[in-house]
Amino acid sequence: MSSTRAALKAAKAALDGHNYEAAVKEAQNVLIVDQNNYHANVFLGLANDKQDKNNEAESAYNVAAKIKPNDPLVWQGLITLYEKQAGKKIDQYGNAALHLAECLMAMDDKERCQTVVDKYVGFAKLHGTRSQYKHALEMMLPTSSLYDYLEGRFPKPDYIYTKVVEITEAEEKERINKEIGERRTRLGAKIGQVTTEVKRDVLEGSNLEYLYGCIIDWTRDDDLRRLYEEKILQRAYDMLTVLPLKQKEAKRAQVMKLAEGLVILKHPFALAWMITLEWKDSEAIEGYDPGLLRDYTELFPEDGLSKVLMAYLSSEISPFPQPPKQSIDDNGEDEITMLTAEDRLLLMTEGVEESSRSVLSQRLMAEYYTYLDEYASAVDYAKKAREQLSLETQVSGLEFQDNLDAVNVILATALIHYQSPRNHPEARSLFENILERKTVNTSALIGLGLILEEEDDYEGATNSLARALKQSTDVKVKAEYAWCKAMTGDYGTSLTELEACLPELERIDVKTKSLRAETLYRIGMCLWNLDPSKRARKDRTGAYARFLASLQANLNYAPSYTILGIYYADYAKDKKRSRKCFQKAFELSPSEVEAAERLARAFADQREWDLVEVVAQRVVDSGKIRPPPGSKKKGISWPFAALGVCQLNNQDYAKSIVSFQSALRISPDDYQCWVGLGEGYHNSGRYIAATKAFEQAQKLETSIDGVQADDTWFSKYMLANVRRELGNFEEATQGYENVLLMRPTELGVTIALLQTHVERAWRSVELGYFGQAADSAVKAVAVAGVVVRGRPDAFNLWKALGDACAIFSWMQAYLHRFPIEEVRSILESDKVVEMFEQMSNIDEIDASTLDQLRLTEGIPSTMKQCLHAAILAHKRLVHTCVHDVHAQAVAWYNLGWTEYRAHSVLGKDSMASSRNSGSVYLKASVRCFKRAIELEAGNSEFWNALAVVTTQLNPKVSQHAFVRSLHLNDKSARVWTNLGTLYLLQHDNQLANDAFTRAQSADPEYTHAWLGQGILALLLREVEESRSLFAHAFEITDASTIVTKRLYASSAFDQLLAQMSSSGTTDVLQPLFALHQLKSQTTTDYVFEHLQALYCERIGASDEAVESLSAVCARVEEDYESSESPLSLARFAQAKADLARAYLAAQDFEAAVENAETSLDLSADLDLNPQAFKARHRYRLSAHLTAGLAYHYTGFMDKAITMFRAALEETDGNPDVVCILSQVLWAKGGTEEREVAREQLFNCIEKYPGHAGAIIILGVIAMLDDDRDTAEAVTADLHDLRTRTDLDEQYQLQIGRLLAALAMSHPSEESRESAVRGEATTAVMLAPSQPHGWRQLAELTNDTLPTEMMLLTAMGSVPPKGALDAEALGNAFAGSSRPADAQRAIMIAPWMAAGWEGLC
């Protein structure tokens, strides 16, 4: 113990001597002995403090404080330590200060105690945060343990609480902003939801309301108290807005209590008054305290709600009595009662705009507008009131059912009259919803009754109004009730009750005057319907007098004008007065549908379509014509129908369609509307829809009364027009003919039939149905004969006749069907010489030309007669439209193209016309197009036509015209193509290519643009490119284009010649079809008829080839006889050679020999250019081979050998010729001949080592001669050949069979069978996708797999996948030895015996 005391004294001495390290050491020595030594810990803390060892000092002080917590020394040391560290240990400082103050309080040392607290508060304010300063201030609050001891020395509590509140408010604001900023960045976060959640979290954890209450409790300043009462109400209200609905009740009660307290005190805090007024749930305004309302207006005179209340309380509809006149202005007059109606409305409008979130202001405004009959505004404000009520419900949690019902009554009442009857369903739903809860709600019963009355449900309306009358004595309700009885047919009772209402309507205010006018009108209607006789209705003292009295009561009552108009129109026979009455009624109210209909009909009779449209549109806009859903009232369709007719007249077809559709929704059986709808669809290009509309109209013809048979022809006529536009010419023709049966004098229908025949003819030409086109053209001429008798000056007559004649120039094979006599008869009808004089000085075609249009017996019509007739028709067309500039321009344009057509056909056909006549037609066409341009220079087609006809006459003029046409329309693919053709003729390939490219961009389906590029590619030696372009052009073209067929067929034949292997049938069919059509279109083009024969030869059509080549030979022979040129002779020789080959294929060997020898004789000494000489070499070779084969088949072997030898000499040992010669020599049978055949084959193989034909023939000969050495050599060559990929399937099959046959020559049977099977297997391995190897294998085995594979590969090798023909496929099926496959073989190739044998 003594050592401890000594150590403590030493530590104390060291401290006094500022030897702090020694003091620490001595104190630690004491603590080693006694850890709970208070003084040692204090000395240790002080020593460490002096050495700035703050943590060690704090630890030592804390140990000492635990040992003696009531000793102020240790707390004083801690405070000193914390003060030295500034703001780092303020929270610990606060704890030490509190303990020190409590120790001093226990010692009853007030001075020092207060000093400690003041010092701490000042230190926290200087160095601490807001929260730490607030904590320091709380030490001075009444809740502190020191407050009672130091009361009077501390500041007043309300002052301290105010400081704490300010700090707390700032902290809350900062925390809310921080939390919102953090949470809003989360995925899916919404700013509104985040704000609500943050405010709820912060406000729930805050004691700010408690602090506000403390200030209110402690302060003696009334202003401060009121301020914090406002704050606590605002705080509670903010908390209420963010609480969930289930937690709102307690907080709402607090808010309402606080608000009521402030209102009782008449404290001007707007939120308290708004809560009290807005949260008042009252069905009627009478439920509000008028004193409270007036107090509000006095406290907040500039507030928006106050302005609304001020005006409303002074209005006629205010349920409260006016207050005594206490508020007097400087002039001694009451301010409020001086408001006029205009000032009142202006004040309310201003107020409601300023208080847009007030339910009460919106409700009062809606009610006032309803009183003023401003139903649109009433609806607007009532809907806004409902929206605000919904928001208030979300905030307060109250349902406000009475308020909502009151607003809904106002809204539904306004909806009855606003855009009636469009909004009736909504209004009815609102009324019924209210009546479900409140069955005696008078306003709802009245409103429902009015709706039922408007919907013609008069029984329901009577019941509803009768229930309302039990609660109300309103004269309007009585009048409506009586009128509903009238509408049910009880006019007598209704008349009595309505007359009983008149005494109550003697007041002079506006509302009463309007109701009196309506009642007098209804009394008049009761009288009008009680006695419907003409005498009674004409009585001016009866209903008529009531109608006049109604207008005297209210000059703006529209129904009275309507009934007076009916009176004047139907009974007084005064059309002028009736029209004035109808106009006045309609001006006052567009809902007067009867007046509007009579006006519209009157305007329509006068063809004043603009006025009809105005009337109909106004009726549509009134909303009266469409009944609400579920209404018994029928809709009114005539306004939409009238609009549709007006829009058709204005060519506004899209709108007319909508109008007629609207009319048909109301009246689906309206025949005229269906016709109008179909016409609208037709004129807008929607032909499918038009067809359905007209078909529906025709269905109604027999089922709807009032539709006369004579009125139905127009729908049939329009349906025929639609079908014509759709290209259904047969149905269209039948339709027109049916109409003409009903109305044979309808010239327009006859002309439409004429145009249909012409259009069908052109369409048939485009599709390649030339016979059908000829039939249509003949029918068109027949119909034109009918038209000319009734209307010889019809524009479309001569245009159609000219086209009908010109069509035959596009199908020359049918010229014999041209009705020349009928055409001449039509042209001569009403003939005047001047009709045909246009351009006669140039083209020499005038009235005298008619004499040439005669049918000579035995001689068919000529192309010249056909085109001259077309030109004469178009000349008469020009004469017919001399007074119409536009029509005349079109007529000159059509005449120009007909002249150019004559130039194209007659001018270029050397057998039909001389060259001079061609230039004549061309010059005439140029003059025609110039005349057309003079009349209409802005037409791009005219400039294009001029450019086309001047292409060769004057390229510069042509280019100028093309450029002018493109300036007017740069999107025309035709013009760009024509310009490209001009550049092509002028050898400017780059510009030509650019023009053709622009044409393709403008219209990718325009054929000639692709043809132009194909020709350009051909000129640039890009053969493959040109061939693909010609093929594409042929695919997209129509059948009328001749040049496309020519280029495609010739390029396709060049491709066939270039192919190494034989071509399939599919490669030939399309060009052959094109040439067949070409033959129908032009009968003078023997070059392409010759080409057609070559195609026929390739597909085995020998008879057709013989026929075509015979015709070609005849034409070429005629040409040679007239010209005697070597070129014509060469063509004749070539045609004869080809004809000989065709006869050979047809097995007419004698004719083949004759024609071949003729060809050889004609071509023996021809002097030709190098290119023609090469052709001569080829057809002479063909003639030699043909003659040789023909001699061979007729048994003249020596002659055959002679021909083959000659062919061999001319071809310098051609291997194919060698093969044929060898086969013929071998067939002759002599030893010498066979030896020569072997020698020829050996030489051929030596010269052409890879020639498959020679090797195969040599192999067959070696097998027949049993020449093993040769057979072995051939076998090796055959194995090499079968690996080649360029051999066609026929060669592969021959090689396989020959190898199999050679394998059979093995001495032993087993070796033979194995070798044959090996060869078949090898064939399969080399070409597994080809059927020949599988067929060999199937023939050698009984396995079904090779047979199945043979059939699969055969079906996979047919076109377009391969080149396997029908015979090969039939053989494959026949080889399977199954009856079903044999039947398939018969179906594929019925001419083959193999399939029929398989069935045996």
Side-chain angles (χ1 to χ4, degrees):
M1 181 65 71
S2 59
S3 60
T4 301
R5 288 178 181 175
L8 288 173
K9 289 180 180 180
K12 180 69 171 64
L15 287 171
D16 293 338
H18 304 291
N19 188 358
Y20 302 118
E21 292 183 359
V24 169
K25 187 175 181 181
E26 293 297 335
Q28 288 176 344
N29 290 333
V30 173
L31 292 174
I32 292 172
V33 178
D34 183 5
Q35 290 182 352
N36 295 324
N37 189 291
Y38 172 74
H39 292 290
N41 280 295
V42 171
F43 291 159
L44 179 59
L46 180 59
N48 283 325
D49 182 12
K50 296 298 183 179
Q51 295 181 81
D52 294 329
K53 296 180 180 179
N54 298 329
N55 293 333
E56 292 84 348
E58 184 178 6
S59 299
Y61 282 139
N62 285 331
V63 173
K66 291 179 181 179
I67 298 170
K68 288 186 178 182
N70 296 324
D71 190 345
L73 179 61
V74 64
W75 298 113
Q76 185 63 51
L78 279 171
I79 288 173
T80 303
L81 177 64
Y82 292 145
E83 285 178 347
K84 186 175 66 173
Q85 297 181 49
K88 293 183 180 180
K89 300 284 186 175
I90 291 180
D91 292 335
Q92 292 84 344
Y93 186 177
N95 184 45
L98 179 60
H99 280 84
L100 178 58
E102 288 176 346
C103 292
L104 295 174
M105 180 178 68
M107 296 169 60
D108 195 21
D109 191 347
K110 290 185 177 182
E111 291 292 339
R112 291 180 62 195
C113 181
Q114 181 182 357
T115 302
V116 170
V117 174
D118 291 342
K119 189 177 179 182
Y120 166 57
V121 171
F123 188 84
K125 182 178 181 181
L126 181 62
H127 297 289
T129 62
R130 279 199 303 261
S131 178
Q132 291 169 339
Y133 179 52
K134 182 179 74 171
H135 182 69
L137 289 173
E138 288 174 352
M139 198 177 289
M140 297 182 179
L141 292 175
T143 55
S144 171
S145 58
L146 304 175
Y147 182 79
D148 291 338
Y149 178 68
L150 296 177
E151 186 177 5
R153 291 178 175 269
F154 284 162
K156 293 180 180 180
D158 59 337
Y159 174 78
I160 301 300
Y161 275 120
T162 302
K163 293 289 187 182
V164 173
V165 163
E166 290 174 355
I167 294 172
T168 306
E169 287 176 343
E171 287 178 340
E172 281 192 4
K173 184 176 181 181
E174 183 178 335
R175 182 183 171 191
I176 288 172
N177 292 335
K178 181 181 178 182
E179 288 292 326
I180 291 174
E182 291 177 355
R183 296 190 191 185
R184 68 183 298 180
T185 59
R186 298 175 183 175
L187 288 176
K190 297 180 180 178
I191 184 62
Q193 182 181 357
V194 167
T195 303
T196 300
E197 291 175 355
V198 169
K199 285 186 176 181
R200 182 168 60 245
D201 294 342
V202 173
L203 296 181
E204 283 180 344
S206 173
N207 65 339
L208 203 53
E209 279 189 42
Y210 166 76
L211 294 175
Y212 290 155
C214 290
I215 294 176
I216 293 170
D217 293 340
W218 283 96
T219 187
R220 295 179 182 179
D221 186 349
D222 289 340
D223 293 337
L224 185 62
R225 182 180 290 108
R226 297 290 174 264
L227 173 63
Y228 280 94
E229 285 176 348
E230 293 176 5
K231 285 195 172 188
I232 195 171
L233 174 59
Q234 185 68 55
R235 177 77 174 189
Y237 181 80
D238 292 343
M239 185 65 186
L240 179 65
T241 58
V242 298
L243 282 175
L245 185 61
K246 295 180 180 180
Q247 301 176 17
K248 286 182 181 288
E249 185 175 356
K251 182 59 70 174
R252 181 176 63 246
Q254 178 193 358
V255 169
M256 294 180 71
K257 182 179 179 181
L258 293 170
E260 288 172 1
L262 289 173
V263 170
I264 290 171
L265 295 173
K266 295 186 179 181
H267 179 65
F269 182 50
L271 178 61
W273 289 86
M274 293 297 294
I275 290 172
T276 304
L277 295 177
E278 299 291 346
W279 289 9
K280 174 73 174 177
D281 192 14
S282 176
E283 189 173 356
I285 299 299
E286 292 92 327
Y288 286 84
D289 182 358
L292 193 66
L293 298 177
R294 291 193 173 94
D295 289 341
Y296 182 79
T297 60
E298 293 175 0
L299 289 172
F300 307 98
E302 299 300 323
D303 183 70
L305 176 59
S306 179
K307 294 178 182 179
V308 175
L309 287 171
M310 192 183 305
Y312 180 81
L313 292 174
S314 67
S315 68
E316 306 90 334
I317 63 172
S318 173
F320 308 116
Q322 295 296 328
K325 296 184 179 181
Q326 297 175 353
S327 178
I328 307 297
D329 64 2
D330 296 338
N331 297 324
E333 296 179 319
D334 186 276
E335 279 187 28
I336 298 177
T337 56
M338 283 182 60
L339 285 174
T340 63
E342 293 78 6
D343 294 338
R344 184 180 299 113
L345 183 59
L346 184 62
L347 185 61
M348 292 185 76
T349 304
E350 182 182 347
V352 80
E353 289 177 357
E354 295 175 0
S355 57
S356 59
R357 297 193 60 183
S358 171
V359 177
L360 183 57
S361 66
Q362 307 282 354
R363 174 179 171 181
L364 294 176
M365 198 70 197
E367 185 176 343
Y368 191 67
Y369 271 126
T370 303
Y371 167 74
L372 295 177
D373 293 340
E374 293 289 340
Y375 299 113
S377 299
V379 168
D380 186 28
Y381 284 111
K383 288 184 176 180
K384 289 180 180 178
R386 291 178 62 184
E387 293 174 3
Q388 292 304 319
L389 269 175
S390 176
L391 294 176
E392 288 296 337
T393 298
Q394 294 177 12
V395 171
S396 66
L398 295 171
E399 292 185 0
F400 299 113
Q401 189 62 58
D402 288 340
N403 282 351
L404 182 60
D405 289 343
V407 172
N408 283 339
V409 165
I410 297 171
L411 174 60
T413 303
L415 287 173
I416 294 174
H417 305 283
Y418 176 58
Q419 295 183 348
S420 174
R422 182 183 301 173
N423 297 312
H424 282 186
E426 183 181 356
R428 183 171 181 173
S429 175
L430 292 172
F431 284 136
E432 289 175 346
N433 181 267
I434 294 170
L435 290 172
E436 286 178 1
R437 294 187 305 277
K438 302 171 182 177
T439 57
V440 293
N441 188 299
T442 306
S443 299
L445 288 169
I446 296 172
L448 183 59
L450 293 176
I451 292 173
L452 294 173
E453 178 186 345
E454 183 69 25
E455 294 177 358
D456 292 349
D457 186 1
Y458 298 110
E459 292 183 4
T462 302
N463 295 333
S464 182
L465 292 172
R467 290 170 60 191
L469 281 174
K470 294 178 181 179
Q471 311 294 328
S472 173
T473 59
D474 188 357
V475 66
K476 180 174 175 60
V477 181
K478 293 179 182 179
E480 292 295 340
Y481 176 67
W483 181 244
C484 287
K485 288 184 177 180
M487 292 295 98
T488 58
D490 189 0
Y491 295 107
T493 304
S494 175
L495 179 61
T496 303
E497 293 182 1
L498 286 170
E499 288 178 340
C501 294
L502 286 177
E504 300 182 42
L505 300 172
E506 297 296 336
R507 289 180 296 172
I508 61 173
D509 59 277
V510 176
K511 286 279 185 182
T512 306
K513 285 173 62 179
S514 178
L515 183 56
R516 180 178 177 82
E518 182 180 38
T519 305
L520 286 168
Y521 163 76
R522 290 176 173 179
I523 291 172
M525 290 304 298
C526 289
L527 292 171
W528 184 272
N529 291 310
L530 274 173
D531 187 358
S533 65
K534 189 172 184 180
R535 182 185 57 82
R537 290 189 173 181
K538 290 179 69 175
D539 185 7
R540 290 180 176 264
T541 62
Y544 176 78
R546 302 304 191 280
F547 298 143
L548 288 180
S550 172
L551 291 177
Q552 289 171 359
N554 183 4
L555 281 173
N556 294 326
Y557 189 65
S560 295
Y561 286 106
T562 300
I563 193 63
L564 281 174
I566 295 173
Y567 170 82
Y568 288 125
D570 297 346
Y571 299 99
K573 303 302 180 184
D574 189 342
K575 291 185 177 180
K576 186 175 181 180
R577 283 190 177 182
S578 69
R579 184 163 180 174
K580 286 184 178 179
C581 288
F582 289 139
Q583 285 179 338
K584 183 65 176 177
F586 191 61
E587 286 173 6
L588 291 172
S589 173
S591 300
E592 292 302 309
V593 180
E594 178 70 21
E597 184 175 5
R598 296 213 178 204
L599 274 178
R601 290 186 183 280
F603 291 142
D605 292 340
Q606 298 172 3
R607 302 292 177 181
E608 296 179 1
W609 297 112
D610 292 341
L611 295 177
V612 174
E613 184 174 10
V614 170
V615 172
Q617 187 62 56
R618 193 166 179 224
V619 175
V620 170
D621 294 340
S622 71
K624 289 287 186 181
I625 60 177
R626 281 198 182 100
S631 174
K632 296 180 181 179
K633 194 172 184 178
K634 292 184 178 180
I636 303 170
S637 62
W638 71 261
F640 286 115
L643 275 177
V645 172
C646 296
Q647 288 155 354
L648 280 178
N649 286 329
N650 295 332
Q651 298 184 358
D652 195 349
Y653 304 118
K655 289 184 179 179
S656 72
I657 291 170
V658 175
S659 297
F660 284 123
Q661 285 176 338
S662 301
L664 288 169
R665 290 190 189 102
I666 299 172
S667 300
D669 293 333
D670 191 327
Y671 172 80
Q672 300 297 342
C673 285
W674 281 110
V675 175
L677 178 63
E679 189 173 356
Y681 279 135
H682 170 263
N683 292 331
S684 60
R686 299 168 64 180
Y687 301 118
I688 301 298
T691 302
K692 294 179 179 178
F694 287 125
E695 288 175 348
Q696 181 63 27
Q698 291 186 0
K699 290 179 183 177
L700 297 173
E701 290 175 0
T702 57
S703 60
I704 301 298
D705 295 334
V707 179
Q708 302 296 327
D710 291 341
D711 296 335
T712 61
W713 72 271
F714 184 72
S715 66
K716 292 180 172 61
Y717 167 68
M718 289 302 299
L719 181 58
N721 285 342
V722 172
R723 286 172 173 163
R724 169 183 159 195
E725 295 290 350
L726 288 172
N728 299 330
F729 297 110
E730 187 172 354
E731 295 179 5
T733 302
Q734 186 64 43
Y736 290 131
E737 290 174 349
N738 291 338
V739 174
L740 289 173
L741 292 175
M742 300 169 61
R743 299 177 70 91
T745 59
E746 280 292 340
L747 184 63
V749 180
T750 309
I751 292 177
L753 177 61
L754 169 62
Q755 291 176 313
T756 303
H757 284 309
V758 174
E759 289 176 10
R760 186 181 187 186
W762 281 119
R763 184 60 179 162
S764 299
V765 169
E766 291 174 359
L767 296 175
Y769 304 148
F770 300 114
Q772 190 178 84
D775 292 339
S776 297
V778 172
K779 291 178 182 178
V781 172
V783 176
V786 177
V787 176
V788 76
R789 289 193 291 271
R791 184 77 178 278
D793 59 341
F795 179 90
N796 292 331
L797 163 65
W798 302 110
K799 169 70 168 61
L801 180 63
D803 289 346
C805 296
I807 282 172
F808 284 94
S809 70
W810 296 92
M811 44 185 188
Q812 299 175 16
Y814 295 88
L815 274 174
H816 62 281
R817 297 173 61 179
F818 178 60
I820 187 169
E821 293 292 341
E822 290 83 350
V823 172
R824 181 177 58 79
S825 175
I826 295 171
L827 290 170
E828 287 181 342
S829 61
D830 294 334
K831 181 181 73 172
V832 179
V833 176
E834 289 78 10
M835 292 179 178
F836 308 108
E837 293 302 316
Q838 293 86 357
M839 301 296 165
S840 60
N841 58 332
I842 299 177
D843 61 8
E844 300 175 358
I845 298 175
D846 52 18
S848 62
T849 310
L850 288 171
D851 296 333
Q852 302 173 12
L853 302 181
R854 297 184 183 276
L855 188 62
T856 305
E857 186 176 354
I859 301 176
S861 303
T862 64
M863 181 63 64
K864 186 175 182 179
Q865 290 176 319
C866 168
L867 287 171
H868 282 187
I871 291 172
L872 288 171
H874 283 291
K875 286 187 175 183
R876 186 152 182 180
L877 173 62
V878 173
H879 177 79
T880 300
C881 58
V882 68
H883 300 296
D884 187 340
V885 175
H886 175 71
Q888 195 175 17
V890 174
W892 281 112
Y893 173 75
N894 292 329
L895 176 60
W897 276 125
T898 308
E899 296 274 10
Y900 187 71
R901 179 63 182 166
H903 162 71
S904 301
V905 176
L906 303 179
K908 295 183 180 180
D909 189 353
S910 60
M911 297 182 182
S913 174
S914 66
R915 293 184 181 180
N916 291 333
S917 65
S919 62
V920 164
Y921 298 128
L922 185 61
K923 291 176 182 178
S925 68
V926 172
R927 292 287 298 274
C928 290
F929 291 135
K930 286 183 177 180
R931 289 291 298 275
I933 292 172
E934 289 173 3
L935 294 170
E936 189 177 341
N939 193 313
S940 63
E941 294 296 329
F942 295 176
W943 287 101
N944 172 60
L946 178 62
V948 170
V949 299
T950 56
T951 299
Q952 294 181 339
L953 294 176
N954 193 331
K956 292 183 178 180
V957 172
S958 176
Q959 183 183 25
H960 170 75
F962 279 133
V963 172
R964 183 65 180 171
S965 177
L966 289 172
H967 174 72
L968 295 171
N969 179 17
D970 63 347
K971 302 297 183 183
S972 175
R974 178 177 304 183
V975 181
W976 280 110
T977 302
N978 292 338
L979 179 61
T981 305
L982 174 65
Y983 290 141
L984 197 61
L985 292 173
Q986 300 303 315
H987 309 293
D988 194 334
N989 297 337
Q990 182 59 47
L991 287 178
N993 182 65
D994 294 342
F996 291 137
T997 304
R998 284 291 300 269
Q1000 291 166 4
S1001 300
D1003 184 5
E1005 298 297 319
Y1006 188 62
T1007 305
H1008 292 79
W1010 299 97
L1011 283 179
Q1013 269 204 328
I1015 295 172
L1016 184 61
L1018 198 60
L1019 292 175
L1020 298 175
R1021 307 296 178 87
E1022 297 176 2
V1023 180
E1024 291 297 328
E1025 178 70 13
S1026 68
R1027 187 177 297 128
S1028 64
L1029 289 169
F1030 292 147
H1032 178 69
F1034 180 74
E1035 289 173 359
I1036 65 175
T1037 190
D1038 56 56
S1040 64
T1041 308
I1042 294 176
V1043 64
T1044 308
K1045 300 183 183 70
R1046 288 173 173 171
L1047 291 173
Y1048 171 65
S1050 57
S1051 66
F1053 193 76
D1054 291 341
Q1055 183 181 14
L1056 292 177
L1057 293 178
Q1059 291 177 349
M1060 297 298 294
S1061 59
S1062 61
S1063 59
T1065 305
T1066 54
D1067 298 330
V1068 180
L1069 289 180
Q1070 270 195 325
L1072 185 58
F1073 288 151
L1075 290 170
H1076 271 297
Q1077 288 185 342
L1078 184 62
K1079 186 176 180 180
S1080 298
Q1081 290 181 273
T1082 172
T1083 58
T1084 59
D1085 198 344
Y1086 63 85
V1087 174
F1088 285 92
E1089 189 171 2
H1090 192 166
L1091 182 62
Q1092 177 190 343
L1094 297 180
Y1095 274 113
C1096 291
E1097 182 184 10
R1098 286 196 168 240
I1099 63 172
S1102 304
D1103 294 338
E1104 186 176 352
V1106 168
E1107 181 183 354
S1108 297
L1109 287 169
S1110 297
V1112 170
C1113 287
R1115 293 290 305 278
V1116 176
E1117 186 176 6
E1118 291 177 7
D1119 187 26
Y1120 174 69
E1121 289 176 355
S1122 62
S1123 63
E1124 295 186 356
S1125 69
L1127 186 59
S1128 296
L1129 184 60
R1131 288 175 180 170
F1132 184 46
Q1134 183 176 359
K1136 281 291 186 180
D1138 292 340
L1139 180 59
R1141 195 168 60 251
Y1143 274 124
L1144 178 65
Q1147 299 184 2
D1148 189 347
F1149 304 119
E1150 293 180 0
V1153 169
E1154 180 184 352
N1155 283 279
E1157 289 182 345
T1158 301
S1159 175
L1160 291 171
D1161 293 341
L1162 292 173
S1163 59
D1165 300 319
L1166 281 175
D1167 185 14
L1168 301 171
N1169 58 42
Q1171 186 175 359
F1173 189 79
K1174 289 182 180 179
R1176 170 183 173 276
H1177 176 74
R1178 286 195 295 270
Y1179 63 72
R1180 282 184 63 82
L1181 172 61
S1182 173
H1184 279 116
L1185 292 177
T1186 302
L1189 289 173
Y1191 280 131
H1192 168 71
Y1193 286 122
T1194 54
F1196 298 102
M1197 303 301 275
D1198 294 335
K1199 292 183 178 181
I1201 293 171
T1202 302
M1203 285 294 177
F1204 290 136
R1205 289 185 182 279
L1208 194 62
E1209 291 174 2
E1210 289 208 10
T1211 59
D1212 193 20
N1214 184 283
D1216 293 326
V1217 178
V1218 170
C1219 291
I1220 296 174
L1221 177 61
S1222 300
Q1223 288 174 300
V1224 173
L1225 289 172
W1226 185 268
K1228 187 175 181 182
T1231 304
E1232 183 179 352
E1233 287 81 359
R1234 292 187 177 184
E1235 187 62 32
V1236 171
R1238 289 192 193 92
E1239 183 181 350
Q1240 291 287 343
L1241 289 172
F1242 277 119
N1243 294 334
C1244 178
I1245 293 173
E1246 183 179 358
K1247 190 174 182 180
Y1248 303 100
H1251 193 269
I1255 295 173
I1256 291 172
I1257 293 172
L1258 186 60
V1260 172
I1261 292 174
M1263 183 181 66
L1264 294 174
D1265 290 344
D1266 197 17
D1267 186 351
R1268 293 186 177 276
D1269 295 336
T1270 304
E1272 289 178 2
V1274 168
T1275 300
D1277 290 340
L1278 290 175
H1279 281 297
D1280 293 337
L1281 281 177
R1282 75 191 309 179
T1283 60
R1284 285 169 51 182
T1285 58
D1286 58 339
L1287 290 183
D1288 60 15
E1289 187 178 347
Q1290 189 66 27
Y1291 273 131
Q1292 292 284 1
L1293 183 61
Q1294 290 176 1
I1295 291 171
R1297 287 179 175 177
L1298 180 58
L1299 286 172
L1302 291 173
M1304 292 292 292
S1305 62
H1306 283 279
S1308 66
E1309 183 178 352
E1310 183 177 354
S1311 299
R1312 288 198 299 270
E1313 183 176 348
S1314 175
V1316 170
R1317 183 172 297 184
E1319 293 297 338
T1321 306
T1322 303
V1324 170
M1325 293 296 294
L1326 290 173
S1329 62
Q1330 298 298 324
H1332 59 272
W1334 293 106
R1335 183 172 182 178
Q1336 293 177 24
L1337 195 60
E1339 291 172 353
L1340 295 172
T1341 64
N1342 294 324
D1343 195 354
T1344 59
L1345 178 61
T1347 303
E1348 295 295 336
M1349 291 303 299
M1350 173 188 67
L1351 296 179
L1352 287 174
T1353 54
M1355 287 187 290
S1357 300
V1358 297
K1361 297 179 181 178
L1364 196 70
D1365 58 14
E1367 290 188 3
L1369 183 61
N1371 280 326
F1373 276 104
S1376 71
S1377 71
R1378 290 185 298 199
D1381 291 333
Q1383 291 176 343
R1384 292 188 179 93
I1386 293 171
M1387 289 296 296
I1388 294 168
W1391 60 87
M1392 290 177 53
W1396 298 101
E1397 292 171 354
L1399 288 177
C1400 299

